[in-house]
Structures are given as structure tokens and as C-alpha cells.
Amino acid sequence: MSHDPHAQIDHTVLEMIEHSPAGAVPHTPSYQDALKRLYASHQVYASADHKGGHVTVRSLAALPVFHASNLEAFMAGKIEAGELEADASIFSRYVQSLPEALRAKAEASRAVVVARRAHHRAKHGVEVAHDPAHTLFLVPGGGPNPGLTGNYLYGSVLQTSIEPGAPWAVHVHDSLDGAALCEVASQAAALEKLQEVLASAPFLLSELDMFGFKKN
């Protein structure tokens, strides 16, 4: 039996959020105090789908993660980077996993999420024509801002330059300007970092500092 005097009401609030279509909690002091504790302990995030709503981490933990379907083959050296599942296809699988009522809203983010590949190349001074290695992933979570539709963060593993020995990077973003970046020395290190990120979901962007990520 828990000796925490707040345990019962905190549990009640978690249940309320999970059983409310909008993740709503009553605006009474006791419930709002419980909500603050749950946010502080990273058990609840702001909902990406309902303004003023909330979502529990334990519900997000049941959601799938999305990455190239042939990522393992790439990591094992069985295929080349150019053979990885296309970002647009990965994004489509994410959209189709959502309830039908949310799919149109998710599609509205496609241009930003899939086009970010060119943005990263430009930022690192890479000519688009050379098309360095890059792959998209999406994981449940949140940041300074809510995630994409369905409460997802999105990110990429990318080659920062086509020059031999150039570093690789892993980026993770929320729905607006929240971002975390980790730069590593090699493709192998970048893919290992990606595995850490995928295995740790759901999370807040701020929690990625334990894996060497920095706010971008």
C-alpha cells in the first residue's frame, strides 16, 4: 500500500485523462494540483489533438514507433542507404495508424516532416544533388510544444556531409520549434543512437539530454 497521500487522487486523474475523449480534467484545485504533480513526474503530457487536454505516458507507451521497415537490413550492411524505405512511405504508415478522424490533420504536416530532409542538407552545407544518407522516424512523445497529431515526435538520422569522415546527426522535433540534436562520429554511432531513442519512447525532448542530445 502506497504511503503517498496524493497517490489515490493522482491515480484518479490518470484514469480520467485516459477515459476522456479530450483528455480533460476538472478545474478544481485538488484535481489541478494532481495534474501539476503528474506533469512534474513526466506521467502526463499536453495533448497534441485536443487544446487544453492531456495524454498519459502509459497510453503513449502502447503506440507503435515508425522507421524504415528495412532499417535492420541497412544496419547489418545488407542494403545501401539509397534502398531504405522512403520517408514519404514511413510517414504514410504513421498516418494510417491514426484514427480516421485524425488523418487529415496529420497529412497537413507531411510537407514539413518529409521536406525537412532538404532543410537539414542546406543547414549543413550539403548540395541536394548529392543526396547524402537520411531516414525518417516517428515516436510517441512531446516537447516544449505538443507533438504531431497522435502525440508523435518526428526525427531523422542523417549524414551531415558527403565528405569522408564527416559526422552524422540525429534530430528529434515536436510540432513547432522544439528540437533536440545529437552529432556523432559515424553512421554506426548514429544508428546506435537511433536505437536508444526508439527504445526509450515515449519521452519528452528534454529527457534526451541523458543520451547526449542538446537543445537545437
Side-chain angles (χ1 to χ4, degrees):
M1 186 178 205
S2 174
H3 296 292
D4 182 354
H6 304 301
Q8 184 172 350
I9 190 168
D10 289 1
H11 177 76
T12 297
V13 170
L14 287 171
E15 293 286 330
M16 278 185 173
I17 293 170
E18 291 177 351
H19 288 90
S20 166
V25 174
H27 290 282
T28 59
S30 59
Y31 285 115
Q32 291 300 308
D33 287 346
L35 190 60
K36 290 176 183 177
R37 289 191 295 272
L38 293 170
Y39 267 91
S41 61
H42 296 179
Q43 295 184 66
V44 169
Y45 302 162
S47 172
D49 302 321
H50 302 284
K51 187 175 181 179
H54 318 280
V55 61
T56 68
V57 170
R58 66 189 188 187
S59 66
L60 294 183
L63 298 178
V65 299
F66 296 93
H67 54 74
S69 57
N70 52 357
L71 182 64
E72 289 188 7
F74 177 58
M75 293 177 68
K78 296 179 181 178
I79 62 172
E80 298 297 323
E83 299 175 85
L84 282 165
E85 181 183 7
D87 290 354
S89 174
I90 299 168
F91 190 84
S92 291
R93 289 195 287 110
Y94 146 69
V95 172
Q96 289 302 308
S97 76
L98 299 171
E100 190 170 356
L102 296 178
R103 291 175 188 171
K105 181 183 176 185
E107 277 290 351
S109 300
R110 179 184 289 272
V112 173
V113 174
V114 176
R116 187 168 286 273
R117 175 176 188 171
H119 169 78
H120 286 318
R121 288 203 299 259
K123 183 175 180 179
H124 287 285
V126 178
E127 294 183 22
V128 174
H130 288 82
D131 203 22
H134 177 288
T135 189
L136 176 71
F137 62 90
L138 299 105
V139 295
N145 314 290
L148 299 177
T149 305
N151 298 288
Y152 273 84
L153 299 170
Y154 68 99
S156 56
V157 177
L158 65 147
Q159 188 179 11
T160 64
S161 169
I162 59 172
E163 296 300 321
W168 285 60
V170 182
H171 293 255
V172 191
H173 304 265
D174 62 23
S175 61
L176 295 175
D177 55 359
L181 163 69
C182 184
E183 197 167 274
V184 292
S186 66
Q187 173 184 296
L191 293 172
E192 181 179 349
K193 192 66 63 176
L194 172 59
Q195 293 302 309
E196 291 179 339
V197 170
L198 297 176
S200 301
F203 52 76
L204 293 172
L205 286 179
S206 59
E207 296 179 282
L208 289 177
D209 59 0
M210 70 180 70
F211 297 123
F213 281 76
K214 297 179 180 178
K215 293 180 181 179
N216 193 19

